[in-house]
Coordinates of all heavy atoms in Angstrom, one line a residue:
S1 N 0.6 100.0 39.8 CA 0.3 98.7 40.0 C -1.2 98.3 40.1 O -1.6 97.2 39.8 CB 1.1 98.3 41.2 OG 0.4 97.8 42.3
G2 N -2.0 99.3 40.7 CA -3.3 99.0 40.8 C -3.8 98.3 42.1 O -5.0 98.2 42.4
K3 N -2.8 97.8 42.9 CA -3.1 97.2 44.1 C -2.4 97.7 45.3 O -1.2 97.7 45.3 CB -2.7 95.7 43.9 CG -3.1 94.8 45.2 CD -2.9 93.4 44.9 CE -3.2 92.5 46.1 NZ -2.9 91.2 46.0
L4 N -3.1 98.3 46.2 CA -2.5 98.8 47.4 C -2.1 97.8 48.4 O -2.9 97.0 48.9 CB -3.5 99.8 48.1 CG -3.0 100.4 49.4 CD1 -1.7 101.3 49.1 CD2 -4.1 101.3 50.0
E5 N -0.9 97.7 48.7 CA -0.4 96.7 49.7 C 1.0 97.2 50.3 O 1.7 97.8 49.6 CB -0.4 95.4 49.3 CG 0.5 95.1 48.2 CD 0.4 93.6 47.7 OE1 0.0 92.7 48.6 OE2 0.7 93.3 46.6
I6 N 1.3 96.8 51.5 CA 2.5 96.9 52.1 C 3.3 95.6 51.7 O 2.8 94.5 52.0 CB 2.5 97.1 53.7 CG1 1.7 98.3 54.0 CG2 3.9 96.9 54.2 CD1 1.3 98.4 55.5
T7 N 4.4 95.8 51.1 CA 5.2 94.7 50.4 C 6.4 94.2 51.4 O 6.8 93.1 51.4 CB 5.6 94.8 49.1 OG1 6.5 96.1 49.1 CG2 4.4 95.0 48.2
D8 N 6.9 95.2 52.1 CA 8.2 94.8 52.9 C 8.6 95.8 53.9 O 8.1 97.0 53.7 CB 9.4 94.5 52.0 CG 10.4 93.7 52.4 OD1 10.4 93.2 53.6 OD2 11.5 93.3 51.7
I9 N 9.3 95.5 54.9 CA 9.8 96.4 55.9 C 11.3 96.0 56.1 O 11.5 94.8 56.4 CB 9.1 96.3 57.2 CG1 7.6 96.8 57.0 CG2 9.8 97.3 58.3 CD1 6.7 96.7 58.3
I10 N 12.2 96.9 55.9 CA 13.6 96.5 56.0 C 14.3 97.4 57.0 O 14.3 98.6 56.9 CB 14.3 96.6 54.5 CG1 13.7 95.6 53.6 CG2 15.8 96.4 54.7 CD1 14.2 95.7 52.2
D11 N 15.0 96.8 57.9 CA 15.9 97.5 58.9 C 17.3 97.5 58.3 O 18.0 96.5 58.3 CB 15.8 96.7 60.2 CG 16.7 97.4 61.3 OD1 17.4 98.4 61.0 OD2 16.6 97.0 62.5
N12 N 17.6 98.6 57.6 CA 18.9 98.7 56.8 C 20.2 98.4 57.6 O 21.1 98.0 57.1 CB 18.9 100.0 56.2 CG 17.9 100.2 55.1 OD1 17.7 99.3 54.2 ND2 17.1 101.3 55.2
N13 N 20.2 98.9 59.0 CA 21.3 98.8 59.7 C 21.3 97.8 60.8 O 22.3 97.6 61.5 CB 21.7 100.1 60.3 CG 21.9 101.2 59.2 OD1 22.6 100.9 58.2 ND2 21.5 102.4 59.4
G14 N 20.1 97.2 61.0 CA 20.0 96.1 62.1 C 19.8 96.7 63.5 O 19.9 96.0 64.4
D15 N 19.6 98.0 63.6 CA 19.6 98.6 64.8 C 18.4 99.7 64.9 O 18.4 100.5 65.8 CB 20.9 99.4 65.1 CG 21.1 100.6 64.2 OD1 20.4 100.8 63.3 OD2 22.2 101.1 64.4
Y16 N 17.4 99.6 64.0 CA 16.2 100.4 64.0 C 16.5 101.9 63.7 O 15.6 102.7 63.7 CB 15.4 100.4 65.3 CG 15.1 99.0 65.7 CD1 15.5 98.5 66.9 CD2 14.4 98.2 65.0 CE1 15.2 97.3 67.4 CE2 14.0 96.9 65.4 CZ 14.4 96.5 66.6 OH 14.2 95.2 67.1
S17 N 17.8 102.2 63.3 CA 18.1 103.6 63.0 C 17.7 104.0 61.5 O 17.5 105.1 61.2 CB 19.6 103.9 63.1 OG 20.3 103.1 62.2
S18 N 17.4 103.0 60.7 CA 17.0 103.3 59.3 C 16.1 102.2 58.8 O 16.5 101.1 58.3 CB 18.2 103.3 58.3 OG 17.7 103.5 57.0
V19 N 14.8 102.3 59.1 CA 13.8 101.2 58.8 C 12.8 101.9 57.8 O 12.3 102.9 57.9 CB 12.9 100.9 60.1 CG1 12.0 99.8 59.7 CG2 14.0 100.5 61.1
I20 N 12.8 101.2 56.6 CA 12.0 101.6 55.5 C 10.8 100.6 55.2 O 11.0 99.4 55.2 CB 12.8 101.8 54.2 CG1 14.0 102.7 54.5 CG2 12.0 102.3 53.1 CD1 13.8 104.0 54.9
M21 N 9.6 101.1 55.0 CA 8.5 100.4 54.7 C 8.3 100.6 53.2 O 8.3 101.7 52.8 CB 7.2 100.7 55.5 CG 6.0 99.9 55.2 SD 4.5 100.5 56.0 CE 4.9 99.9 57.6
Y22 N 8.0 99.5 52.5 CA 7.8 99.5 51.0 C 6.4 99.0 50.7 O 5.9 98.1 51.3 CB 8.8 98.7 50.3 CG 10.3 99.2 50.5 CD1 11.1 98.7 51.5 CD2 10.9 100.1 49.6 CE1 12.3 99.1 51.7 CE2 12.1 100.5 49.8 CZ 12.8 100.0 50.9 OH 14.1 100.4 51.2
G23 N 5.9 99.5 49.6 CA 4.6 99.0 49.1 C 4.3 99.4 47.7 O 5.1 100.0 47.0
T24 N 3.2 98.9 47.2 CA 2.7 99.3 45.9 C 1.4 100.0 46.1 O 0.7 99.9 47.1 CB 2.4 98.0 45.1 OG1 1.5 97.2 45.8 CG2 3.7 97.2 44.8
G25 N 1.1 100.8 45.1 CA -0.1 101.7 45.1 C -0.9 101.6 43.9 O -0.8 100.8 43.1
F26 N -1.7 102.7 43.8 CA -2.6 102.8 42.6 C -1.8 103.4 41.5 O -0.9 102.8 40.9 CB -3.8 103.6 43.0 CG -4.6 103.0 44.1 CD1 -4.7 103.5 45.3 CD2 -5.4 101.8 43.9 CE1 -5.3 103.0 46.4 CE2 -6.1 101.2 45.0 CZ -6.1 101.8 46.2
K27 N -2.0 104.6 41.3 CA -1.4 105.3 40.1 C -0.3 106.2 40.7 O -0.4 106.7 41.8 CB -2.4 106.0 39.2 CG -3.2 107.1 39.9 CD -4.1 107.7 39.0 CE -5.0 108.7 39.8 NZ -6.0 109.4 39.1
A28 N 0.6 106.6 39.8 CA 1.6 107.6 40.2 C 1.1 108.8 40.7 O 0.1 109.3 40.2 CB 2.5 107.8 38.9
G29 N 1.7 109.4 41.8 CA 1.2 110.6 42.4 C 0.2 110.4 43.4 O -0.2 111.3 44.2
E30 N -0.5 109.2 43.5 CA -1.4 108.9 44.5 C -0.9 109.0 45.9 O 0.2 108.7 46.2 CB -2.0 107.5 44.3 CG -3.3 107.2 45.1 CD -4.5 107.7 44.5 OE1 -4.8 107.2 43.2 OE2 -5.3 108.4 45.0
T31 N -1.7 109.6 46.8 CA -1.2 109.8 48.2 C -1.6 108.5 49.0 O -2.6 108.0 48.9 CB -1.9 110.9 49.0 OG1 -1.6 112.1 48.2 CG2 -1.5 111.2 50.4
I32 N -0.5 108.0 49.8 CA -0.7 106.8 50.6 C -0.5 107.3 52.1 O 0.5 108.0 52.3 CB 0.4 105.8 50.3 CG1 0.3 105.3 48.8 CG2 0.3 104.7 51.2 CD1 -1.0 104.7 48.5
K33 N -1.5 107.0 53.0 CA -1.4 107.4 54.3 C -1.1 106.0 55.1 O -1.8 105.0 54.9 CB -2.6 108.0 54.7 CG -2.8 109.4 54.2 CD -4.0 110.1 54.8 CE -4.1 111.5 54.2 NZ -5.3 112.3 54.7
L34 N -0.2 106.2 56.1 CA 0.1 105.0 56.9 C -0.5 105.2 58.3 O -0.3 106.3 58.9 CB 1.6 104.9 57.0 CG 2.2 103.7 57.8 CD1 1.8 102.4 57.2 CD2 3.7 103.9 58.0
F35 N -1.1 104.2 58.8 CA -1.8 104.3 60.1 C -1.2 103.2 61.0 O -0.9 102.1 60.6 CB -3.3 104.1 59.9 CG -3.9 105.2 59.2 CD1 -4.0 105.1 57.8 CD2 -4.5 106.4 59.9 CE1 -4.7 106.1 57.1 CE2 -5.0 107.3 59.1 CZ -5.2 107.2 57.7
D36 N -1.1 103.5 62.4 CA -0.7 102.5 63.3 C -2.0 101.7 63.7 O -3.0 101.9 63.3 CB 0.0 103.0 64.5 CG -0.8 104.0 65.4 OD1 -2.1 104.0 65.3 OD2 -0.2 104.7 66.2
E37 N -1.7 100.7 64.6 CA -2.8 99.9 65.1 C -3.9 100.6 65.9 O -5.1 100.0 66.0 CB -2.3 98.7 65.8 CG -1.7 99.1 67.2 CD -0.8 98.0 67.8 OE1 -0.5 97.1 67.2 OE2 -0.7 98.0 69.0
N38 N -3.6 101.8 66.3 CA -4.7 102.6 67.0 C -5.3 103.6 66.0 O -6.0 104.5 66.5 CB -4.1 103.3 68.2 CG -3.6 102.3 69.1 OD1 -4.2 101.3 69.5 ND2 -2.4 102.6 69.7
N39 N -5.1 103.5 64.7 CA -5.7 104.2 63.8 C -5.1 105.7 63.7 O -5.9 106.7 63.2 CB -7.2 104.2 63.7 CG -7.8 103.0 63.2 OD1 -7.2 102.4 62.3 ND2 -8.8 102.4 63.9
N40 N -4.0 105.9 64.3 CA -3.3 107.2 64.2 C -2.5 107.3 63.0 O -1.8 106.3 62.7 CB -2.4 107.3 65.5 CG -3.1 107.3 66.8 OD1 -4.1 107.9 66.9 ND2 -2.6 106.4 67.7
E41 N -2.7 108.4 62.3 CA -1.8 108.5 61.1 C -0.4 108.8 61.5 O -0.2 109.6 62.3 CB -2.4 109.8 60.3 CG -1.6 109.9 58.9 CD -2.2 111.1 58.1 OE1 -3.4 111.2 58.0 OE2 -1.3 111.8 57.5
V42 N 0.5 108.0 61.0 CA 1.9 108.1 61.3 C 2.9 108.5 60.2 O 4.0 108.7 60.4 CB 2.4 106.8 62.0 CG1 1.8 106.5 63.3 CG2 2.3 105.6 61.1
G43 N 2.3 108.6 58.9 CA 3.1 108.9 57.9 C 2.3 109.1 56.6 O 1.1 108.6 56.5
I44 N 2.9 109.7 55.6 CA 2.3 110.0 54.4 C 3.4 110.0 53.3 O 4.4 110.4 53.5 CB 1.5 111.3 54.4 CG1 0.6 111.4 53.2 CG2 2.3 112.5 54.6 CD1 -0.5 112.5 53.3
T45 N 3.1 109.4 52.1 CA 3.9 109.4 51.0 C 3.2 109.4 49.7 O 2.0 109.4 49.7 CB 4.9 108.2 51.2 OG1 5.9 108.2 50.2 CG2 4.2 106.8 51.0
K46 N 3.8 109.3 48.7 CA 3.2 109.2 47.2 C 3.7 108.0 46.5 O 4.9 107.7 46.6 CB 3.5 110.5 46.5 CG 3.0 111.8 47.2 CD 2.1 112.5 46.2 CE 1.6 113.8 47.0 NZ 0.2 114.0 46.7
V47 N 2.9 107.5 45.6 CA 3.3 106.5 44.7 C 4.1 107.1 43.6 O 3.9 108.1 43.0 CB 2.0 105.9 44.1 CG1 2.3 104.8 43.1 CG2 1.1 105.3 45.2
D48 N 5.2 106.3 43.3 CA 6.2 106.8 42.3 C 5.7 106.4 40.9 O 4.6 105.8 40.7 CB 7.6 106.4 42.5 CG 7.8 104.8 42.5 OD1 7.0 104.1 41.8 OD2 8.8 104.4 43.0
T49 N 6.4 106.7 39.8 CA 6.0 106.4 38.5 C 6.0 104.9 38.1 O 5.4 104.5 37.2 CB 7.0 107.1 37.4 OG1 8.3 106.7 37.7 CG2 6.8 108.6 37.5
N50 N 6.6 104.1 39.0 CA 6.6 102.6 38.8 C 5.5 101.9 39.6 O 5.5 100.7 39.6 CB 8.0 102.1 39.2 CG 9.1 102.6 38.2 OD1 8.8 102.6 37.0 ND2 10.2 102.9 38.8
G51 N 4.7 102.7 40.3 CA 3.6 102.2 41.1 C 4.0 101.7 42.5 O 3.3 101.0 43.1
N52 N 5.2 102.2 43.0 CA 5.8 101.8 44.3 C 5.8 103.0 45.2 O 5.7 104.1 44.7 CB 7.1 101.2 44.1 CG 7.1 100.1 43.2 OD1 6.4 99.1 43.5 ND2 8.0 100.0 42.2
W53 N 5.8 102.7 46.5 CA 6.1 103.8 47.4 C 6.9 103.3 48.6 O 7.1 102.1 48.7 CB 4.7 104.3 48.0 CG 3.8 103.3 48.6 CD1 2.8 102.6 48.0 CD2 3.8 102.8 50.0 NE1 2.2 101.6 48.9 CE2 2.8 101.8 50.1 CE3 4.6 103.1 51.1 CZ2 2.5 101.1 51.3 CZ3 4.4 102.5 52.2 CH2 3.3 101.5 52.3
E54 N 7.5 104.2 49.3 CA 8.3 103.9 50.4 C 8.2 105.0 51.5 O 7.9 106.1 51.2 CB 9.7 103.6 50.1 CG 10.5 104.8 49.6 CD 11.9 104.4 49.3 OE1 12.1 103.6 48.3 OE2 12.8 105.0 49.9
I55 N 8.4 104.6 52.8 CA 8.3 105.6 53.9 C 9.3 105.1 55.0 O 9.4 103.9 55.3 CB 6.8 105.8 54.4 CG1 6.7 106.9 55.3 CG2 6.4 104.5 54.9 CD1 5.4 107.4 55.5
N56 N 10.0 106.2 55.5 CA 10.9 105.9 56.6 C 10.1 105.8 57.9 O 9.4 106.8 58.2 CB 11.9 106.9 56.6 CG 13.0 106.7 57.7 OD1 12.7 106.2 58.8 ND2 14.3 107.0 57.4
I57 N 10.1 104.7 58.6 CA 9.4 104.5 59.8 C 10.4 104.4 61.0 O 10.0 103.8 62.1 CB 8.4 103.4 59.8 CG1 9.1 102.1 59.5 CG2 7.3 103.6 58.7 CD1 8.2 100.8 59.7
S58 N 11.6 104.9 60.9 CA 12.6 104.7 62.0 C 12.2 105.5 63.2 O 12.5 105.0 64.3 CB 14.0 105.2 61.5 OG 14.3 104.6 60.2
N59 N 11.6 106.6 63.1 CA 11.4 107.5 64.2 C 10.0 107.8 64.6 O 9.6 108.9 64.7 CB 12.2 108.8 64.1 CG 13.7 108.6 64.0 OD1 14.2 107.9 64.9 ND2 14.3 109.0 62.9
L60 N 9.2 106.7 64.6 CA 7.7 107.0 65.0 C 7.6 107.1 66.5 O 7.9 106.3 67.3 CB 6.9 105.8 64.6 CG 6.9 105.5 63.0 CD1 6.1 104.4 62.7 CD2 6.5 106.8 62.2
S61 N 7.4 108.5 66.9 CA 7.5 108.8 68.3 C 6.5 108.0 69.2 O 6.7 107.8 70.3 CB 7.1 110.3 68.5 OG 5.9 110.6 67.9
N62 N 5.4 107.5 68.6 CA 4.4 106.7 69.5 C 4.6 105.1 69.3 O 3.7 104.4 69.8 CB 3.0 107.1 69.1 CG 2.7 108.5 69.6 OD1 3.2 108.9 70.6 ND2 1.9 109.3 68.8
T63 N 5.7 104.7 68.7 CA 6.0 103.3 68.6 C 7.3 103.0 69.1 O 8.3 103.2 68.5 CB 5.9 102.9 67.0 OG1 4.7 103.4 66.5 CG2 6.1 101.5 66.9
P64 N 7.4 102.5 70.4 CA 8.7 102.3 71.1 C 9.3 101.0 70.4 O 8.7 100.2 69.8 CB 8.2 101.9 72.4 CG 6.9 101.6 72.4 CD 6.3 102.3 71.3
V65 N 10.7 100.9 70.5 CA 11.4 99.8 70.1 C 10.9 98.6 70.9 O 10.6 98.7 72.0 CB 12.9 100.1 70.3 CG1 13.8 98.8 70.0 CG2 13.4 101.3 69.4
N66 N 11.0 97.4 70.2 CA 10.4 96.1 70.8 C 8.9 96.1 71.0 O 8.4 95.3 71.7 CB 11.2 95.8 72.1 CG 12.6 95.5 71.9 OD1 13.0 95.0 70.9 ND2 13.4 96.0 72.8
D67 N 8.3 97.0 70.3 CA 6.8 96.9 70.4 C 6.4 96.1 69.1 O 6.9 96.3 68.0 CB 6.1 98.3 70.3 CG 4.6 98.3 70.3 OD1 4.1 97.4 70.9 OD2 4.0 99.2 69.6
N68 N 5.4 95.2 69.3 CA 4.9 94.5 68.2 C 3.7 95.3 67.6 O 2.6 95.3 68.1 CB 4.3 93.0 68.7 CG 4.3 92.1 67.6 OD1 4.9 92.3 66.6 ND2 3.8 90.9 67.9
E69 N 4.1 96.2 66.6 CA 3.1 97.0 66.0 C 2.5 96.6 64.7 O 3.1 95.9 63.9 CB 3.8 98.3 65.8 CG 2.9 99.5 65.3 CD 2.1 100.1 66.5 OE1 2.5 100.0 67.7 OE2 1.0 100.7 66.2
F70 N 1.2 96.8 64.5 CA 0.6 96.6 63.2 C 0.3 97.9 62.5 O 0.0 99.0 63.1 CB -0.8 96.0 63.5 CG -0.8 94.5 63.9 CD1 -0.7 94.3 65.3 CD2 -0.9 93.5 63.0 CE1 -0.6 92.9 65.6 CE2 -0.9 92.2 63.4 CZ -0.7 91.9 64.8
F71 N 0.7 97.9 61.2 CA 0.5 99.1 60.4 C -0.5 98.8 59.3 O -0.6 97.7 58.9 CB 1.8 99.5 59.8 CG 2.9 100.0 60.8 CD1 3.8 99.1 61.1 CD2 2.9 101.2 61.2 CE1 4.7 99.5 62.0 CE2 3.8 101.7 62.1 CZ 4.8 100.9 62.5
K72 N -1.2 99.9 58.8 CA -2.0 99.7 57.6 C -1.9 100.8 56.8 O -1.7 102.0 57.2 CB -3.4 99.3 58.0 CG -4.1 100.4 58.9 CD -5.5 99.9 59.3 CE -6.0 101.0 60.4 NZ -7.2 100.5 60.9
S73 N -1.9 100.6 55.5 CA -2.0 101.7 54.5 C -3.3 101.6 53.8 O -3.6 100.7 52.9 CB -0.9 101.4 53.4 OG -1.0 100.2 52.8
L74 N -4.3 102.4 54.3 CA -5.6 102.4 53.8 C -6.3 101.1 54.1 O -7.1 101.0 55.1 CB -5.7 102.9 52.4 CG -5.2 104.2 52.0 CD1 -5.3 104.4 50.5 CD2 -5.9 105.2 52.8
K75 N -6.0 100.0 53.4 CA -6.7 98.7 53.6 C -5.9 97.6 54.0 O -6.4 96.6 54.6 CB -7.4 98.4 52.2 CG -8.5 99.3 51.7 CD -9.1 98.8 50.5 CE -10.1 99.9 49.9 NZ -10.5 99.5 48.6
K76 N -4.6 97.6 53.6 CA -3.7 96.4 53.8 C -2.9 96.5 55.1 O -2.4 97.6 55.4 CB -2.7 96.3 52.6 CG -1.8 95.2 52.8 CD -2.4 93.9 52.4 CE -1.3 92.8 52.4 NZ -2.0 91.5 52.2
S77 N -2.9 95.5 55.9 CA -2.2 95.4 57.2 C -1.0 94.6 57.0 O -0.8 93.7 56.2 CB -3.1 94.9 58.3 OG -4.2 95.7 58.5
Y78 N 0.0 95.0 57.9 CA 1.3 94.2 58.0 C 1.8 94.3 59.3 O 2.0 95.4 59.9 CB 2.2 94.9 57.0 CG 3.5 94.1 56.6 CD1 3.6 93.4 55.5 CD2 4.6 94.1 57.4 CE1 4.8 92.8 55.1 CE2 5.8 93.5 57.2 CZ 5.9 92.8 56.0 OH 7.0 92.1 55.6
N79 N 2.2 93.1 59.9 CA 2.7 93.1 61.3 C 4.2 93.2 61.2 O 4.8 92.5 60.5 CB 2.3 91.8 61.9 CG 2.7 91.7 63.4 OD1 3.0 92.7 64.0 ND2 2.6 90.5 63.9
W80 N 4.7 94.1 62.1 CA 6.2 94.2 62.1 C 6.6 94.4 63.6 O 6.0 95.2 64.4 CB 6.6 95.4 61.4 CG 8.1 95.6 61.4 CD1 9.1 94.9 61.1 CD2 8.8 96.8 62.0 NE1 10.3 95.3 61.2 CE2 10.2 96.6 61.8 CE3 8.3 98.0 62.5 CZ2 11.1 97.6 62.2 CZ3 9.2 98.9 62.9 CH2 10.5 98.7 62.8
R81 N 7.6 93.6 64.1 CA 8.0 93.8 65.4 C 9.2 94.8 65.5 O 10.2 94.6 64.9 CB 8.6 92.4 66.0 CG 9.1 92.5 67.5 CD 9.3 91.2 68.0 NE 9.9 91.3 69.4 CZ 9.3 91.6 70.4 NH1 8.0 91.8 70.4 NH2 9.9 91.7 71.6
R82 N 8.9 95.8 66.2 CA 9.9 96.9 66.3 C 10.5 96.9 67.7 O 9.9 96.7 68.6 CB 9.2 98.2 66.0 CG 10.2 99.4 66.1 CD 9.6 100.7 65.8 NE 10.4 101.7 66.4 CZ 10.7 102.8 65.9 NH1 10.1 103.2 64.8 NH2 11.5 103.7 66.5

């Protein structure tokens, strides 16, 4: 896709047990690192052949449920209430 951004966060079950963050990246195989609002790396994934990426953020040990957390993937930020 050529543009790095977080495009969506979906709580699949409505109870935080399966929360997936989606985005677009540069080229296939590119590594995407996810950081919390304190600049702690909380996840890593790769861009697929369609220019998309996803990461499960259900069990981030330093992000309690009901926390209003900001995430960023290199440059793009996205606010999500967990």
Side-chain angles (χ1 to χ4, degrees):
S1 115
K3 183 176 180 184
L4 175 63
E5 64 182 332
I6 298 169
T7 58
D8 207 353
I9 298 175
I10 297 176
D11 183 351
N12 294 308
N13 300 321
D15 63 1
Y16 307 118
S17 66
S18 176
V19 182
I20 309 297
M21 179 181 288
Y22 297 91
T24 58
F26 300 108
K27 60 183 178 179
E30 190 85 59
T31 299
I32 302 297
K33 292 184 178 182
L34 180 67
F35 297 87
D36 67 14
E37 61 192 26
N38 297 317
N39 290 319
N40 298 308
E41 184 178 318
V42 295
I44 191 167
T45 189
K46 298 237 181 221
V47 177
D48 67 21
T49 57
N50 295 316
N52 301 306
W53 56 267
E54 64 181 66
I55 189 166
N56 186 321
I57 60 170
S58 304
N59 296 308
L60 300 179
S61 59
N62 292 322
T63 306
V65 172
N66 292 324
D67 182 30
N68 206 11
E69 187 74 24
F70 287 85
F71 294 100
K72 60 185 168 186
S73 57
L74 300 178
K75 296 179 185 175
K76 179 74 174 178
S77 295
Y78 192 100
N79 183 17
W80 177 63
R81 181 169 176 77
R82 177 177 161 145

